[in-house]
Amino acid sequence: GKEVLLLMQALNTLSTPEEKLAALCKKYADLLEESRNVQKQMKILQKKQAQVVKEKVHLQSEHSKAILARSKLESLCRELQRHNKTLKEENIQQAREEEERRKEATAHFQITLNEIQAQLEQHDVHNAKLRQENIELGEKLKKLIEQYALREEHIDQVFKHKELQQQLVDAKLQQTTQLIKEAEEKHQREREFLLKEATESRHKCEQMKQQEAQLKQQLSLYMDKFEEFQTTMAKSNELFTTFRQEMEKMTKKIKKLEKETIVWRTKWENNNKALLQMAEEKTVRDKEYKGFQIKLERLEKLCRALQTERNELNEKVE
């Protein structure tokens, strides 16, 4: 309203219609320059959106790699558990066979052998004491003691191998956890960046709509002024014709600007759809990462709020 009043006051200060027409042309040139600046800003926003889409694809690729590595590590752990179970069963079976051979070798030391077997099954720390007791049994159990020592060495090697494998699994699990954590942090930063870009795009769209409304108001003002000038410039047909042509050109340019605004709005809606699709994909993935469920729900609520506000703005524009 203030700009219209200032324009009316400036036109009233001019004495001749030519000066008023020149002032109007200057005002139109300023509006055209503002429209060009808006178009430049639209191109910059489109480039940013393309970059965001590329980063999104890259993030999805990294996340897929992390999931694949985790599945491989889980299969390796299951295989290691099966192997350890098999070794344990073999150890128990061999211990039983050794106990039977000991019973067949002598009935005199049956109680001692049963105690050794029980201590072997309960805890490996008692192996040293059992070896000392076997040495005291004498030369008759020498072969049995040698077999037991070999068996103990084999068990120690098996347990060392198991500990090394367990350490390797723990290291791989820790590395995978770190990679997943980094991917999740990067996704969080990417999501905040997308939300910020969406807010800025919405703000730019609102500014363009306001500028479009202002242009329409100024066009209505020009039409009213044209009707007023029509009575005073009846004798100047050539000047009237020129002014009408300029008005028609200005109307065409405004229509062109409206079409470009519609194109830009369509691209903005497509980007919003892409954001919604990414949010849905994250919802499926976040079933595996329950810790991010609350944050994802907040993002979905924000996207729905943006969609509702965008629909309301579109209805107002229509």
Side-chain angles (χ1 to χ4, degrees), residues 205-219:
C205 182
E206 290 176 355
Q207 290 180 352
M208 291 187 66
K209 289 177 181 178
Q210 292 176 359
Q211 292 177 358
E212 182 181 358
Q214 292 176 359
L215 289 174
K216 289 181 179 179
Q217 291 177 359
Q218 291 179 0
L219 179 60

Side-chain angles (χ1 to χ4, degrees), residues 130-188:
L130 293 175
R131 286 197 301 270
Q132 185 65 30
E133 290 178 357
N134 289 329
I135 293 173
E136 293 176 356
L137 292 177
E139 295 296 332
K140 292 182 180 180
L141 295 177
K142 185 176 181 180
K143 293 182 180 180
L144 182 61
I145 294 172
E146 291 177 354
Q147 292 178 358
Y148 175 77
L150 293 175
R151 180 60 184 163
E152 181 185 4
E153 183 179 358
H154 176 69
I155 291 173
D156 291 337
Q157 291 178 357
V158 171
F159 283 138
K160 288 180 180 179
H161 180 67
K162 180 179 178 181
E163 289 177 357
L164 291 175
Q165 289 181 343
Q166 187 65 33
Q167 292 176 0
L168 178 61
V169 171
D170 293 338
K172 289 183 178 180
L173 282 173
Q174 184 177 4
Q175 183 179 5
T176 303
T177 304
Q178 184 66 24
L179 291 174
I180 293 173
K181 183 178 179 182
E182 292 177 357
E184 290 172 349
E185 291 176 354
K186 186 174 181 182
H187 173 70
Q188 180 66 22

Side-chain angles (χ1 to χ4, degrees), residues 200-209 264-265:
E200 292 178 357
S201 299
R202 185 184 61 186
H203 182 64
K204 292 293 184 181
C205 182
E206 290 176 355
Q207 290 180 352
M208 291 187 66
K209 289 177 181 178
W264 185 87
R265 189 184 298 113

Side-chain angles (χ1 to χ4, degrees), residues 227-282:
E227 291 178 358
E228 293 177 1
F229 292 154
Q230 189 175 8
T231 57
T232 59
M233 292 189 300
K235 296 180 181 180
S236 180
N237 292 328
E238 183 177 0
L239 183 61
F240 169 76
T241 304
T242 304
F243 182 75
R244 185 174 59 186
Q245 291 176 354
E246 291 292 331
M247 290 297 296
E248 291 175 354
K249 291 180 180 179
M250 182 178 179
T251 303
K252 291 180 180 179
K253 290 182 179 179
I254 290 175
K255 290 181 179 179
K256 183 178 180 181
L257 179 60
E258 290 177 352
K259 291 180 180 179
E260 291 176 353
T261 304
I262 292 172
V263 173
W264 185 87
R265 189 184 298 113
T266 302
K267 292 181 180 179
W268 183 68
E269 291 174 355
N270 292 331
N271 290 331
N272 284 337
K273 291 180 181 179
L275 287 174
L276 290 174
Q277 184 178 3
M278 185 182 70
E280 292 175 356
E281 293 175 357
K282 281 301 299 174

